[in-house]
Amino acid sequence: MINPFSKLGISDDVVNAVKELGFENPTPIQEQAIPVLLEGSNDFVGLAQTGTGKTAAFGLPLLELIDFKSNKPQALILCPTRELCLQIANDIRNFSKNTPNASVVAVYGGANIMQQLREIRNGVQIVVATPGRMLDIIGRKAIDFSNVKYVVLDEADEMLNMGFQEDINDILSTTPDEKKTWLFSATMPPEVRRIAKNYMENPTELTMGTKNTGNVNIEHEYYIVKARDKYAALKRIVDYNPDIFGVVFCKTKMDTQDVAEHLIKDGYNADALHGDLSQQQRDKVMQRFRDRNMQLLIATDVAARGIDVNNVTHVINYALPDEIESYTHRSGRTGRAGKTGVSICIINAKETGKIRQIERIIGKQFTKAELPTGFDVCEKQLFGLIHRVHNVEVNEEQIDKYMSRINDEFADLSKEEVIKKFASLEFNRFLEYYQNAPDLNLSADDRFDRGERGERGDRRERGERSGRGAEAGYARLFINVGSVDEFTRGDLLSFVCNHGRISGKAVGKIDLKGVFSFVEVESATAETLMANFKDVQYNGREVRIEMSGDAPRSSNRGGDRGGRGGFGGERRGGFGGERRGGGYGGDRRGGGDRSGSGRRDRGERGERSGGGNSEGAFRDFSGRSREERGGGSGRREGGNGDRRRRS
Ligand code: AMP
């Protein structure tokens, strides 16, 4: 039987390579685009969503059209992000593994340019690049594009969103007029149309519309809540899904940071990914997410493009995208590689119309779901704990030496009593937090009686409590600036003293984190300081300083979630420990990476995650290590990503 890719006109070397990758049949976009592109004589516009097999749709024809006897660049592929750049280059290398002399270079910001220049000098036929770095290399006269025959603009809509229009113009002006341009885009806003019009002659257009293979396994749900309850709803969803491994989409960088900050402060293992981070910072966040050392990635659309992480269980649209077409990109982060996933929208009543529009675009119906009640969450968490206890891997060697003492401690309790107490340890926490929690679903009843109860409930949900965990006589304050703002501890001390108008002597421990920090100040000065901080801004951002508080945390939050090497994963697990000074979440010591498996990158990860467990088993979770751990602010090392990256 003839291989279906051969039927499309692909040569044996390449067919064999894609066979090895497990490609048996072409995807719809490949089936339609490959024969057209193989002719090599037309400009092309493909409206294609993520996960449709787009890379092979243009990559395979390129491999047929390029003269590999020559070592001159003949194809240039421009794409918006480093992640995508690496992915495309890697895919094409795989497709061309049997093609003699084929050479592909990935050119992107934030990495050593010398190495990239060396590769170019050695001779390449295919250049995959992000626009900023490409222009830099062109500026150095280090590349000759006079033989370029094909330019691919991948995710053109995103490149324009990110402000790369001018760079693209400049880059294209260095390529021959006769080249063919192939443009791929998930959406077709007027700016993309304009590119098609300005740079292309009579392009062949193909629309792959809703045939998003990445989306077939995804359930779509929406929850209607009041705007002010959004955050509480997010937490409720997360608490109800103790094993969530999700991406939360916000509209702006600020929102991303804000939601991440709140989650971290409330004890969740989350972090923000947005375009203002340097490439290294983004890499670090992504690496932690990929390694499942982080549970919730809070991202903007642009920053999340090109993220190819398997096993994402939930995509949460904290805000619906402005361009509803972007919904497909977002939801496509889950349900990958044959797995199922859930895409959730938290909306207000006015947005139901948008849900209907999205339904039309994705060709699937949403389920209107009800947020679980507090008791639902408690029950779910309780049994989550029970299952984890049941499945936990016991480190016989390490625990053995404590067993006789542990047994002595329990000598006066029956097995049933021990079980009940272990279960209660976690259950009480959630019960206390949730037993008076309001119904967040926007229902007819809800529109009336929300006064007192609702307000109090909201506060509880936000985990706003008085400071706790500070040294005696000191209050522990949360402030939403940190090393990401290039603060050192000294900078933060001056900042707090200057704006708060307090003496440096009144300041105790300063715990500098990534997007936020904790500062301990003498209790007597706390109120004055907070009052003086009203209306203080930093880099155009409102500075918030408030008593640090805790919210309940699922014992499964944080840390490696058992994905690798038998890590137990629970931050606190059943050993969550005592609560100190009323409040949820108990004390934040305990579990940690309890395996003691010697992760090398703990310092770094913990520094940024806050909610992460990564500082090791007996670190006071809320951030006060015995001695300040230096290093690894995670966000400070330079890194010059592509220019004008925005989100
Ligand atoms: P892309 O849209 O190019 O990012 O591709 C999405 C995913 O589908 C990637 O993991 C590809 O390796 C995979 N893929 C692409 N084409 C095929 C095919 N014909 N058969 C199976 N998997 C494919």
Side-chain angles (χ1 to χ4, degrees):
M1 203 177 72
I2 305 178
N3 181 290
F5 285 97
S6 309
K7 270 200 220 160
L8 293 178
I10 303 298
S11 61
D12 289 350
D13 284 348
V14 178
V15 168
N16 289 334
V18 297
K19 239 189 341 200
E20 276 183 51
L21 295 173
F23 296 11
E24 287 172 9
N25 289 297
T27 64
I29 186 175
Q30 291 161 2
E31 207 156 41
Q32 292 177 68
I34 289 173
V36 178
L37 295 179
L38 268 181
E39 292 188 16
S41 53
N42 271 327
D43 287 333
F44 178 88
V45 173
L47 195 58
Q49 310 285 0
T50 181
T52 48
K54 205 164 25 105
T55 317
F58 65 75
L60 304 190
L62 280 182
L63 294 180
E64 301 301 325
L65 294 166
I66 284 170
D67 171 12
F68 287 103
K69 288 200 271 318
S70 154
N71 276 336
K72 300 248 167 74
Q74 295 159 57
L76 167 64
I77 300 161
L78 292 176
C79 62
T81 63
R82 165 195 164 122
E83 289 78 18
L84 192 58
C85 177
L86 285 167
Q87 207 175 301
I88 295 171
N90 195 38
D91 284 352
I92 297 182
R93 281 190 197 112
N94 284 332
F95 304 153
S96 62
K97 65 184 276 215
N98 305 323
T99 308
N101 199 38
S103 181
V104 183
V105 65
V107 162
Y108 49 87
N112 184 347
I113 197 168
M114 299 319 285
Q115 171 63 24
Q116 293 172 1
L117 292 172
R118 231 184 336 267
E119 286 180 51
I120 292 167
R121 261 200 311 277
N122 288 344
V124 294
Q125 298 96 8
I126 302 175
V127 180
V128 188
T130 53
R133 177 57 66 91
M134 190 69 260
L135 209 53
D136 190 349
I137 287 178
I138 291 170
R140 292 169 188 239
K141 304 207 182 325
I143 198 155
D144 169 16
F145 278 153
S146 62
N147 289 285
V148 164
K149 296 191 178 57
Y150 303 96
V151 171
V152 179
L153 303 175
D154 195 17
E155 305 212 340
D157 48 353
E158 284 309 319
M159 286 202 282
L160 297 189
N161 277 345
M162 290 166 78
F164 284 136
Q165 170 82 67
E166 262 178 60
D167 289 0
I168 294 173
N169 289 349
D170 293 349
I171 295 167
L172 291 186
S173 71
T174 68
T175 60
D177 290 344
E178 321 76 73
K179 60 155 185 299
K180 300 297 167 215
T181 305
W182 303 348
L183 178 150
F184 291 85
S185 193
T187 58
M188 206 37 84
E191 309 82 69
V192 177
R193 279 259 158 254
R194 217 166 300 133
I195 292 203
K197 200 157 156 258
N198 292 349
Y199 293 113
M200 299 187 193
E201 242 175 72
N202 225 355
T204 309
E205 287 203 25
L206 283 181
T207 302
M208 307 315 140
T210 58
K211 287 187 185 161
N212 187 337
T213 51
N215 261 350
V216 291
N217 305 321
I218 303 170
E219 296 285 329
H220 303 267
E221 294 177 353
Y222 68 98
Y223 295 87
I224 306 182
V225 299
K226 291 196 169 182
R228 69 169 187 205
D229 286 337
K230 257 191 175 186
Y231 179 68
L234 171 65
K235 288 206 323 183
R236 190 78 65 91
I237 291 165
V238 172
D239 284 342
Y240 191 68
N241 292 284
D243 292 325
I244 193 168
F245 177 54
V247 185
V248 178
F249 282 96
C250 295
K251 221 174 253 180
T252 64
K253 181 209 126 199
M254 294 275 228
D255 293 345
T256 306
Q257 195 131 324
D258 199 47
V259 171
E261 263 172 29
H262 273 89
L263 287 170
I264 292 165
K265 185 172 153 244
D266 285 347
Y268 296 83
N269 191 359
D271 210 339
L273 183 77
H274 53 69
D276 275 8
L277 304 180
S278 75
Q279 195 59 60
Q280 275 95 336
Q281 291 161 350
R282 287 153 52 106
D283 285 351
K284 268 201 181 143
V285 175
M286 278 315 299
Q287 197 54 47
R288 283 184 50 225
F289 188 59
R290 218 170 259 128
D291 291 347
R292 307 199 79 175
N293 287 322
M294 186 207 309
Q295 200 165 10
L296 295 168
L297 180 70
I298 323 300
T300 54
D301 285 290
V302 170
R305 293 299 288 271
I307 292 179
D308 200 2
V309 176
N310 284 336
N311 304 320
V312 168
T313 60
H314 291 72
V315 163
I316 300 180
N317 295 270
Y318 191 72
L320 290 178
D322 282 333
E323 280 205 34
I324 52 173
E325 286 89 348
S326 301
Y327 179 82
T328 318
H329 277 307
R330 291 181 173 191
S331 56
R333 300 299 124 210
T334 184
R336 298 178 81 85
K339 295 273 167 42
T340 55
V342 186
S343 176
I344 288 174
C345 300
I346 306 176
I347 62 166
N348 62 47
K350 287 191 215 124
E351 291 177 305
T352 41
K354 276 193 166 181
I355 295 287
R356 301 283 98 84
Q357 281 176 284
I358 294 172
E359 282 178 337
R360 277 193 291 279
I361 287 189
I362 62 174
K364 280 187 95 175
Q365 285 226 315
F366 274 74
T367 307
K368 179 177 180 303
E370 294 278 305
L371 283 162
T373 66
F375 282 99
D376 293 338
V377 174
C378 291
E379 191 179 321
K380 194 78 183 277
Q381 288 286 346
L382 175 63
F383 285 95
L385 167 69
I386 301 301
H387 290 141
R388 286 194 300 280
V389 171
H390 202 268
N391 296 334
V392 71
E393 222 170 89
V394 175
N395 186 329
E396 304 283 354
E397 204 179 316
Q398 292 296 326
I399 194 88
D400 259 3
K401 51 182 177 280
Y402 301 109
M403 278 321 295
S404 82
R405 248 177 77 194
I406 293 173
N407 285 326
D408 286 349
E409 296 272 350
F410 286 136
D412 58 331
L413 300 176
S414 68
K415 175 185 164 191
E416 284 70 30
E417 284 169 324
V418 173
I419 293 176
K420 204 184 287 180
K421 278 176 185 280
F422 264 95
S424 296
L425 204 61
E426 192 74 4
F427 186 59
N428 288 351
R429 225 190 282 290
F430 275 87
L431 194 63
E432 189 188 335
Y433 181 76
Y434 271 118
Q435 61 191 350
N436 293 320
D439 178 0
L440 298 174
N441 295 293
L442 194 65
S443 64
D445 292 350
D446 214 18
R447 266 168 235 140
F448 309 109
D449 175 36
R450 289 230 1 144
E452 263 283 279
R453 184 185 64 115
E455 279 305 316
R456 237 184 285 133
D458 289 347
R459 266 205 306 277
R460 289 168 77 85
E461 293 254 344
R462 288 198 299 268
E464 289 174 10
R465 326 227 124 230
S466 59
R468 46 192 291 278
E471 295 292 320
Y474 280 80
R476 186 169 176 76
L477 303 180
F478 165 92
I479 183 166
N480 66 334
V481 294
S483 57
V484 72
D485 304 290
E486 309 259 307
F487 274 86
T488 61
R489 282 200 293 153
D491 296 338
L492 190 56
L493 176 67
S494 324
F495 187 72
V496 166
C497 293
N498 291 342
H499 290 285
R501 283 177 248 139
I502 59 166
S503 151
K505 289 197 203 110
V507 180
K509 282 192 185 115
I510 292 185
D511 190 6
L512 194 72
K513 299 283 184 187
V515 292
F516 68 100
S517 304
F518 291 106
V519 180
E520 290 184 9
V521 298
E522 285 174 5
S523 304
T525 63
E527 290 297 333
T528 320
L529 181 142
M530 288 192 292
N532 289 337
F533 254 93
K534 278 217 174 89
D535 303 325
V536 172
Q537 298 228 331
Y538 188 77
N539 271 349
R541 193 166 92 229
E542 187 194 339
V543 175
R544 285 188 298 106
I545 186 160
E546 50 198 60
M547 291 288 188
S548 116
D550 284 346
R553 289 156 296 123
S554 130
S555 50
N556 195 34
R557 249 171 242 133
D560 184 298
R561 295 164 62 258
R564 294 187 311 174
F567 243 62
E570 300 90 340
R571 185 170 62 221
R572 291 175 299 129
F575 300 84
E578 85 270 31
R579 289 213 318 271
R580 291 182 307 184
Y584 296 107
D587 109 344
R588 294 177 142 188
R589 286 175 302 166
D593 281 338
R594 288 182 297 123
S595 73
S597 71
R599 287 279 178 92
R600 253 164 282 133
D601 57 343
R602 279 185 182 170
E604 278 172 14
R605 290 190 284 117
E607 187 68 34
R608 299 237 9 247
S609 73
N613 57 339
S614 35
E615 305 267 347
F618 299 105
R619 187 184 205 280
D620 175 338
F621 168 77
S622 53
R624 295 172 308 135
S625 55
R626 282 294 133 238
E627 82 280 7
E628 275 298 324
R629 278 164 214 246
S633 74
R635 300 218 189 213
R636 301 200 49 207
E637 68 275 67
N640 47 342
D642 276 300
R643 298 180 302 149
R644 282 181 283 149
R645 201 181 284 278
R646 287 201 232 111
S647 38

